[in-house]
Amino acid sequence: MTLITGALAAREVDVAPATIRKWVQLGHLSPAGRQGRTHLFRLEDVFAAERATRRRAR
């Protein structure tokens, strides 16, 4: 399982890193691990959160 940082996750789904942090705050996305103080995410979880939030925004 490959884990990526919030900054890389944001780049993958074309949002700001603050959006990734907001998704975590709102419970749309859960970190899969940590590297020091940095949250790490599974890419498939990031894509799922992105799809879910885009659906709600319509």
Side-chain angles (χ1 to χ4, degrees):
M1 169 176 67
T2 302
L3 299 178
I4 59 172
T5 64
L8 184 55
R11 213 172 310 139
E12 286 291 326
V13 293
D14 198 29
V15 298
T19 301
I20 298 294
R21 292 191 296 274
K22 190 67 164 180
W23 290 350
V24 171
Q25 263 185 339
L26 295 173
H28 300 307
L29 180 62
S30 295
R34 288 184 88 102
Q35 185 175 37
R37 292 178 57 198
T38 304
H39 284 121
L40 300 174
F41 303 94
R42 292 182 338 146
L43 191 54
E44 52 267 31
D45 293 343
V46 175
F47 287 138
E50 190 264 346
R51 282 191 306 271
T53 56
R54 294 236 191 266
R55 246 183 265 125
R56 278 189 200 94
R58 289 184 188 186

